[in-house]
Amino acid sequence: MGKVGVAGLGGGIDAFQDVGRLIEGKTDMDVFGSNTASRVGNIGNIIGSSLEVAGVATGGITPWSIGLEALGATISLASSITEGVGEEEAGEQSKEEAKEDISSQARGETTADVVTQAVGRTQ
């Protein structure tokens, strides 16, 4: 049973993170990630890990089990790369949104100072 647990670790981590996003109130495909690449990678990791578990559970040495484990590992590897690219894109987008928010707040503060000065002069 220990080998099965290790084989399914990646998919288990992804599923746990999906549950966390569901608890946060995410809905539909947002539960699986913040963008398409992240979602595809996440779902692929779960599928790949499931295939690896199936390979280990079927004996680990038969042609079927070796094939399942190899296919699962290949899918998991490709999915991890895809998910990483998606997370990188999401991080860049978040940085850009934060910059825009800071710029907007700075413009608001400047406008508020000008309005305060104008009101102070008219009183």
Side-chain angles (χ1 to χ4, degrees):
M1 197 63 170
K3 289 181 184 179
V4 172
V6 171
L9 187 61
I13 291 170
D14 276 338
F16 183 74
Q17 290 173 339
D18 296 343
V19 170
R21 284 190 284 271
L22 189 62
I23 290 171
E24 290 174 359
K26 303 284 184 184
T27 58
D28 300 324
M29 291 303 288
D30 289 339
V31 171
F32 296 107
S34 56
N35 58 35
T36 302
S38 179
R39 292 176 191 126
V40 168
N42 184 342
I43 293 168
N45 272 331
I46 293 170
I47 292 168
S49 291
S50 298
L51 290 171
E52 288 182 70
V53 168
V56 171
T58 57
I61 56 169
T62 67
W64 277 102
S65 60
I66 292 171
L68 288 170
E69 287 184 60
L71 180 61
T74 303
I75 290 172
S76 290
L77 176 62
S79 297
S80 292
I81 293 168
T82 303
E83 189 173 10
V85 168
E87 293 302 324
E88 182 84 15
E89 289 174 7
E92 290 299 319
Q93 184 177 359
S94 292
K95 285 180 190 176
E96 191 61 36
E97 289 172 2
K99 262 188 200 178
E100 289 174 10
D101 287 347
I102 291 170
S103 296
S104 175
Q105 289 174 358
R107 282 192 301 272
E109 288 174 4
T110 302
T111 304
D113 288 342
V114 171
V115 169
T116 302
Q117 288 176 355
V119 171
R121 290 184 188 150
T122 59
Q123 291 179 348

